[in-house]
Amino acid sequence: MQEAKDRKHDAFTFEYHLIDLLKMSNFSFAEKQAQKIENYKYSFNTRDFLLKNGLYIAIILVFIFLCIITPIKKNGLQLFTVNNILSIMQQASPRMFLALGVSGLIMLAGTDLSVGRMVGMGMTAATIIMHNGPNTGSVFGHVFDFSTMPVGGRILLALVVCVVLCTMFTTIAGFFAAKFKMHPFISTMANMLVIFGLVTYSTKGVSFGGIDQSIPGKIIPKVGGIPTIILWAVAAVVIVWFIWNKTKFGKNLYAVGGNPEAASVSGISVFKVTLGAFIMAGILYGFGSWLECIRMIGSGSAAYGQGWEMDAIAACVVGGVSFTGGIGKISGVVVGVLIFTALTYSLTILGIDTNLQFVFSGIIILIAVTLDCLKYVRKN
């Protein structure tokens, strides 16, 4: 079969070689497309195709199944309406910041287990600052009241505090990972425990209620029914894409992730790149927790964001960011976040228990990492 395929391809190549001599390489559009199609058919490998796209095909089939079964189970309710799609994108927007942050660490063959606790810490801090009047809870016994500040000042202060807190903790984890070659799994797990312990102890684990009702309308208003929080996520995607693809730091990130020893020999500071990736992650976590606080109109507590690190990591892996390091695209991260948010939203509409949703997420993660490992083994 392969011999017949080779003979057919050789005949096609010879035919176009003759056309090339006659036309002096002046091929028509149709002839150019025919060459591309023939080259694709000849080089196509079913195994490689399934390794690269098998998970996406399976997820598409799952969504088709959900679209069919939802109207049956929910009396004609359609799953992917315009309003539902906008709701999915609205929910995905803060999570996009988290996934973009952790993707840089996965690019370095690391991870971050403290993402969810960062969200809880940021949400708590932002709720305290943007709350209208004395807070419903206290921090180390002190009740804060920032209502004397202008609304714009409170919004800006909340953002700065969220970014500073998250960046401070990611920098600590990054320092240990870069300086002492500690695996990020350990340094970020330590962060996770410290953050949760500090926030829970200082606030007694209480929820801090809502924020000023006018704030969401100022930061993430709906324009023509479209939530502008999506624009924040789009801006983050564009900025991180630019950093990854158009800056020296981005190129160094790929180099260190692919082979830190070779990168070091070529003059790249592995310490600076690693620490820089953690600092960038902290900034993105701060923005994400701040936006989530505004989207949810407060409700900050130490427990908020539990398990979000798994969603962020899973979105990256499903999007093609490899745990082996040095492989990944921002477009893949975006697709991964949208897939996981849409899946969670769909299962919630169907009334699937939250605990069972964790089972679905776990299976997807397992399949994604398995395919990633198979691609790595095949490449080597």
Side-chain angles (χ1 to χ4, degrees):
M1 186 175 178
Q2 183 61 40
E3 289 181 4
K5 187 177 178 181
D6 290 339
R7 285 198 299 271
K8 183 180 177 182
H9 181 71
D10 290 341
F12 181 90
T13 303
F14 181 71
E15 178 187 346
Y16 269 79
H17 175 65
L18 294 177
I19 295 172
D20 183 26
L21 293 175
L22 291 171
K23 291 190 173 184
M24 303 293 290
S25 300
N26 189 22
F27 292 112
S28 67
F29 176 78
E31 289 169 338
K32 289 179 181 178
Q33 295 306 309
Q35 289 181 75
K36 288 180 180 179
I37 292 170
E38 172 60 27
N39 289 332
Y40 177 79
K41 286 165 59 179
Y42 180 70
S43 60
F44 180 82
N45 183 287
T46 305
R47 180 186 173 89
D48 289 341
F49 178 80
L50 290 176
L51 280 176
K52 291 179 180 178
N53 305 293
L55 182 62
Y56 294 121
I57 294 170
I59 290 172
I60 289 170
L61 293 175
V62 168
F63 278 124
I64 292 172
F65 173 74
L66 290 173
C67 287
I68 294 171
I69 200 171
T70 300
I72 298 172
K73 290 286 187 180
K74 294 295 178 178
N75 298 321
L77 178 67
Q78 296 299 317
L79 184 57
F80 289 115
T81 62
V82 173
N83 286 336
N84 285 351
I85 291 172
L86 288 176
S87 295
I88 290 168
M89 294 179 72
Q90 188 174 4
Q91 289 183 21
S93 295
R95 294 170 182 263
M96 194 71 71
F97 284 83
L98 309 179
L100 289 171
V102 78
S103 63
L105 307 184
I106 297 176
M107 276 281 291
L108 297 176
T111 188
D112 192 343
L113 299 182
S114 65
V115 177
R117 298 311 181 189
M118 295 275 186
V119 174
M121 176 179 63
M123 281 276 292
T124 302
T127 303
I128 290 171
I129 295 169
M130 293 190 287
H131 184 74
N132 193 16
N135 278 279
T136 55
S138 62
V139 180
F140 291 114
H142 182 76
V143 177
F144 288 93
D145 183 3
F146 291 88
S147 58
T148 55
M149 290 180 64
V151 174
R154 280 187 280 155
I155 294 170
L156 183 59
L157 178 61
L159 173 59
V160 170
V161 170
C162 285
V163 170
V164 169
L165 284 174
C166 291
T167 306
M168 180 181 72
F169 279 102
T170 56
T171 302
I172 292 170
F175 176 80
F176 280 95
K179 183 68 175 177
F180 302 108
K181 310 302 179 186
M182 183 183 296
H183 197 284
F185 182 94
I186 301 300
S187 62
T188 60
M189 181 176 65
N191 252 358
M192 175 184 71
L193 296 172
V194 170
I195 292 169
F196 183 66
L198 281 175
V199 177
T200 305
Y201 177 75
S202 62
T203 64
K204 307 302 180 187
V206 301
S207 177
F208 279 79
I211 62 173
D212 192 311
Q213 296 290 324
S214 66
I215 291 176
K218 296 177 185 296
I219 303 300
I220 52 171
K222 287 190 176 183
V223 179
I226 299 175
T228 54
I229 190 174
I230 297 170
L231 298 179
W232 286 87
V234 171
V237 169
V238 171
I239 291 170
V240 177
W241 179 89
F242 181 83
I243 292 172
W244 277 30
N245 296 281
K246 300 297 180 180
T247 67
K248 183 180 178 181
F249 173 78
K251 292 178 175 61
N252 290 346
L253 189 70
Y254 277 99
V256 173
N259 191 327
E261 289 80 13
S264 180
V265 170
S266 64
I268 297 172
S269 173
V270 176
F271 176 85
K272 289 181 179 179
V273 172
T274 304
L275 194 61
F278 274 91
I279 290 172
M280 186 169 73
I283 294 170
L284 289 164
Y285 299 161
F287 265 95
S289 58
W290 176 74
L291 269 181
E292 179 67 9
C293 180
I294 296 173
R295 186 182 78 86
M296 294 300 294
I297 319 178
S299 304
S301 69
Y304 199 97
Q306 182 178 0
W308 282 33
E309 63 277 357
M310 293 298 106
D311 292 342
I313 293 168
C316 293
V317 176
V318 168
V321 184
S322 176
F323 269 116
T324 57
I327 300 171
K329 293 181 179 180
I330 295 299
S331 57
V333 177
V334 174
V335 170
V337 172
L338 292 176
I339 284 174
F340 263 88
T341 308
L343 182 63
T344 303
Y345 189 86
S346 304
L347 295 175
T348 302
I349 286 180
L350 275 172
I352 304 297
D353 187 273
T354 306
N355 297 309
L356 284 178
Q357 292 181 25
F358 287 125
V359 175
F360 284 107
S361 298
I363 292 171
I364 291 174
I365 293 170
L366 188 64
I367 294 171
V369 175
T370 301
L371 291 174
D372 180 51
C373 292
L374 288 172
K375 283 188 284 186
Y376 179 75
V377 170
R378 187 170 176 82
K379 185 178 74 173
N380 288 281

